[in-house]
Amino acid sequence: MTVQRQRLYFMLAAAAAAAAATAGLVSTPAMAQGSYPSKTVLMIVPAAAGGTTDLAGRMAAQALAPVMGQSVVVDNKGGGNGAIAANLVKRADADGYTLLMQYSGYHVISPHLTKAKSWEQGDFAPVANVLSAPQIIVVRSELPVKTLAELVNYTKANPGKLNYASSGNGSLQHVTGAMLEQQAGVKMVHVPYKGTGPALQDLLGGQVDLTFGTAPPFMPHVQSGKLRVLAVTGKQRLPSLPNVPTTAEAGYPGVNATSWFAVFAPKATPQPVIDKLAADIKKVVEDPGFRKKAEEQGATADYMSPQQLAAMVKTEYGNWAQVVKSSKIEAE
């Protein structure tokens, strides 16, 4: 082989190698997305264990694992009105392996409570809604009231005596309490906690008189007689509490608050990964067993696609801005 032929050979070989390398680089992301998921998925929950957000995360994780073919691990990161969890997911790799099981109160109410925001709606890609649940008004059994009207009358007869727990300042429970105060013309003492779990424990212990929250964590204690439900803040009665009237039926239609629990991913997550996640969640949420379990807990399995979830977030973000402003609620 001549020197010129050797040079030509090496030039062609180098060009072929470069082309192969370039092709490999181009195809790698597609291959990675096509094989998603290939390892454990982390689902971060912005609340302490024991509340409905935690329940939604664990129900979804348990049901998703066999559908996805990988473990889905729940990690509770409560605090900061959801900001701690939100920022962890915001800064995570946008590869579909770190997800946020978000609570509506944190997503569309908390941002209105302070000018110093550590995250924005645009930091996340909507994936799918999983559960929806109205709030219930629940009191300790020793409180001498059995209806919402009796609660209002008792509060008026004992101004400043009753206190109510919430999962945090500016939470949906807090806002619902403020809505009732406005509608009924009463005043109660607000006691914020770091999540529904701690609030529930003090309600059971008698340190607080009542609270507002989604039904799942309260149901066992309602069934045992330790707690009493006075009303449901949704448009319809709950199948799990058929004898409990709605707030509208009880004379306070303006007290209407429903929570939702949805999955979000970091904003730059590839669309094929979002689509795969949404499709898998849809299978889970539409499964009869999952729907029955949700109903037994006082919630509704309520799938929404990424597009439907995005539209709902936009609408509720604007609606709750008006409620927060009129109630003059601010972050601590």
Side-chain angles (χ1 to χ4, degrees):
M1 184 181 289
T2 65
V3 173
Q4 287 183 334
R5 286 184 176 179
Q6 285 181 328
R7 288 177 177 173
L8 180 60
Y9 171 81
F10 286 122
M11 288 174 63
L12 291 173
T22 301
L25 289 174
V26 171
S27 65
T28 297
M31 290 172 61
Q33 293 170 25
S35 62
Y36 174 85
S38 59
K39 61 180 181 180
T40 297
V41 175
L42 180 66
M43 184 174 288
I44 294 181
V45 171
T52 307
T53 313
D54 177 60
L55 174 71
R58 295 184 185 280
M59 278 183 62
Q62 182 179 12
L64 267 174
V67 175
M68 300 180 75
Q70 293 290 340
S71 297
V72 182
V73 177
V74 171
D75 188 10
N76 296 83
K77 295 293 183 183
N81 280 339
I84 293 176
N87 280 291
L88 283 172
V89 177
K90 170 187 172 181
R91 295 191 296 265
D93 291 337
D95 54 10
Y97 290 100
T98 303
L99 305 173
L100 176 67
M101 172 55 79
Q102 184 63 300
Y103 158 54
S104 57
Y106 292 152
H107 207 68
V108 296
I109 296 179
S110 295
H112 300 299
L113 303 176
T114 177
K115 294 181 179 179
K117 299 179 177 64
S118 60
W119 60 272
E120 302 285 348
Q121 302 288 330
D123 292 327
F124 304 98
V127 177
N129 192 65
V130 177
L131 294 179
S132 295
Q135 303 280 298
I136 59 173
I137 302 174
V138 58
V139 301
R140 56 185 178 86
S141 58
E142 294 85 1
L143 200 67
V145 298
K146 293 184 178 179
T147 67
L148 184 55
E150 289 181 1
L151 174 68
V152 171
N153 291 335
Y154 185 86
T155 306
K156 289 180 177 179
N158 299 275
K161 181 179 178 180
L162 285 186
N163 54 32
Y164 73 94
S166 80
S167 62
N169 197 59
S171 63
L172 185 56
Q173 294 97 320
H174 182 191
V175 176
T176 305
M179 290 169 65
L180 178 60
E181 287 180 316
Q182 287 184 349
Q183 294 286 317
V186 298
K187 185 63 179 176
M188 299 178 289
V189 178
H190 171 229
V191 183
Y193 288 81
K194 293 183 178 179
T196 300
L200 172 58
Q201 290 306 310
D202 273 9
L203 178 62
L204 291 169
Q207 282 74 39
V208 290
D209 299 306
L210 68 147
T211 192
F212 306 82
T214 48
F218 301 99
M219 290 301 289
H221 309 292
V222 171
Q223 293 164 352
S224 70
K226 293 181 180 179
L227 299 177
R228 182 182 302 120
V229 182
L230 305 183
V232 176
T233 67
K235 296 180 180 180
Q236 298 178 337
R237 295 191 181 195
L238 286 172
S240 56
L241 295 167
N243 297 321
V244 177
T246 65
T247 45
E249 292 174 322
Y252 298 95
V255 183
N256 191 334
T258 297
S259 300
W260 45 262
F261 306 87
V263 177
F264 291 81
K267 66 178 180 180
T269 303
Q271 191 60 45
V273 172
I274 296 292
D275 293 341
K276 175 67 165 60
L277 278 167
D280 287 349
I281 292 173
K282 187 173 189 291
K283 291 178 183 177
V284 165
V285 175
E286 293 183 349
D287 178 77
F290 187 90
R291 300 178 75 85
K292 181 180 179 182
K293 183 176 181 180
E295 185 176 292
E296 289 172 346
Q297 296 293 328
T300 301
D302 184 18
Y303 173 79
M304 292 184 194
S305 68
Q307 296 76 20
Q308 291 171 324
L309 177 56
M312 181 177 68
V313 167
K314 183 177 180 180
T315 298
E316 291 220 332
Y317 186 82
N319 290 345
W320 283 111
Q322 298 300 318
V323 175
V324 170
K325 183 177 180 181
S326 64
S327 300
K328 299 180 180 180
I329 295 174
E330 297 179 355
E332 295 173 326

